[in-house]
Amino acid sequence: MAELVFGSARRTNRRLRVAGSAGIVVAVLLAVLLVPPLVQLDQQAVDLAARLRPPSWEHPFGTDDVGRDLLLRCVYGLRVSLLVGIVAGLTATVIGTAVGALAAAFGGWTDRIVMRLVDTFSSVPHLLLGIFIVAMFRPGVGPVIVSVALTHWLSTARIVRSEVLSLRSRPFIDAAISGGASRGRVIVRHLLPAVLPQAGLAAVLMVPHAMWHESALSFLGLGLPTHQASLGNLVQTARGSLLAGDWWPTLFPGLFLIIPTLALAGLAGAWRERINPRRRSELML
């Protein structure tokens, strides 16, 4: 009886977490899609007479060091960070899925060479390799997306390779090969559709990871231009204000980064438990 009560309570808590995470994600999407066109204000407008005002009814999140509304800047910053996270996450997932599927499907020396390359890239810290890539270009959204995508496909390649290797021994694969199907047809028609749930989960998990890396690069001055609103730039420009005792220019951009990424991670965790409840840790990035 106690086990039934405990299991019911755990399922209820899981549903509440999923509902809360979904609500936060929907609110974030509505904010980044609707606020810029509906609020006819220039997020770059400077008002030195209103600089570093604390949160109030006029400015719910206060103003920054040049008098810009911090709420509007945070929404625009989240918009840019989400764009980088989604595009970079999808790109990294496509690259990792293709590399992992081809390596496992062809096997032999192809698999060994590809996986040694994956191990070589994995030995270099993501952030260090990302800094090296963005340093070769001018600051902008494109270089940051390329940097994050090229440094985050490795775990997806390993996951997809493991799944494809397990699928190769299944009877339906043997039946397809015995029926005269080519290797390319087996990959496209049988192997790739079977690994799409894992690849989709990897893409969702990659979005918050990419957002954090974009913020780290922008905080170091290597990501987006300093005049362009992104969560990393907002935190970076607020360092001096924090030392002077003005907490709001740092707190609110940090919350705009932490809360949506935790919500996305919560949804991804629920998806992971649904598609593969026995091997939860395998899909962690």
Side-chain angles (χ1 to χ4, degrees):
M1 182 67 180
E3 293 182 357
L4 292 176
V5 173
F6 178 75
S8 177
R10 189 170 58 180
R11 287 192 296 271
T12 301
N13 290 334
R14 186 185 301 117
R15 285 195 293 267
L16 290 176
R17 290 198 304 270
V18 172
S21 298
I24 293 173
V25 171
V26 171
V28 166
L29 292 177
L30 291 176
V32 298
L33 292 175
L34 299 180
V35 168
L38 293 179
V39 179
Q40 300 298 322
L41 295 175
D42 184 7
Q43 53 107 6
Q44 295 284 9
V46 173
D47 184 7
L48 295 178
R51 63 185 302 271
L52 291 177
R53 286 186 178 177
S56 62
W57 286 110
E58 184 180 2
H59 302 286
F61 286 3
T63 60
D64 62 8
D65 56 347
V66 291
R68 293 173 296 194
D69 184 79
L70 198 56
L71 174 57
L72 195 59
R73 295 277 290 171
C74 286
V75 171
Y76 273 90
L78 181 59
R79 194 182 194 187
V80 173
S81 296
L82 270 178
L83 172 65
V84 172
I86 292 173
V87 176
L90 290 176
T91 305
T93 302
V94 171
I95 295 174
T97 301
V99 171
L102 292 176
F106 284 93
W109 62 269
T110 302
D111 185 29
R112 289 192 292 272
I113 291 176
V114 170
M115 296 316 296
R116 293 298 77 76
L117 289 175
V118 170
D119 293 338
T120 301
F121 280 107
S122 298
S123 65
V124 182
H126 287 173
L127 185 58
L128 182 61
L129 186 58
I131 290 173
F132 174 76
I133 294 174
V134 297
M136 296 187 296
F137 304 94
R138 292 182 178 180
V141 175
V144 173
I145 291 175
V146 171
S147 170
V148 175
L150 292 182
T151 56
H152 288 76
W153 58 271
L154 306 170
S155 56
T156 305
R158 287 199 180 96
I159 293 170
V160 172
R161 174 182 177 270
S162 175
E163 290 294 325
V164 172
L165 286 176
S166 67
L167 288 171
R168 285 177 56 182
S169 60
R170 301 288 178 86
F172 71 92
I173 299 296
D174 293 335
I177 295 175
S178 301
S182 64
R183 182 172 296 180
R185 183 176 179 83
V186 169
I187 294 174
V188 174
R189 293 293 300 274
H190 300 286
L191 296 181
L192 284 179
V195 301
L196 282 181
Q198 288 79 6
L201 174 58
V204 175
L205 286 170
M206 198 75 67
V207 172
H209 203 63
M211 291 175 62
W212 277 98
H213 271 259
E214 178 275 323
S215 298
L217 291 172
S218 297
F219 182 81
L220 295 173
L222 297 170
L224 302 179
T226 55
H227 69 274
Q228 186 171 3
S230 77
L231 297 179
N233 277 342
L234 293 178
V235 175
Q236 195 273 340
T237 56
R239 289 184 301 170
S241 302
L242 182 63
L243 295 175
D246 300 322
W247 49 269
W248 56 92
T250 304
L251 174 64
F252 292 114
L255 292 178
F256 264 62
L257 177 63
I258 293 172
I259 293 176
T261 54
L262 289 179
L264 286 170
L267 290 180
W271 187 1
R272 181 177 64 246
E273 293 178 7
R274 179 174 292 274
I275 68 173
N276 205 347
R278 294 185 179 180
R279 291 184 296 166
R280 299 175 183 176
S281 61
E282 178 182 304
L283 299 178
M284 291 297 292
L285 295 178

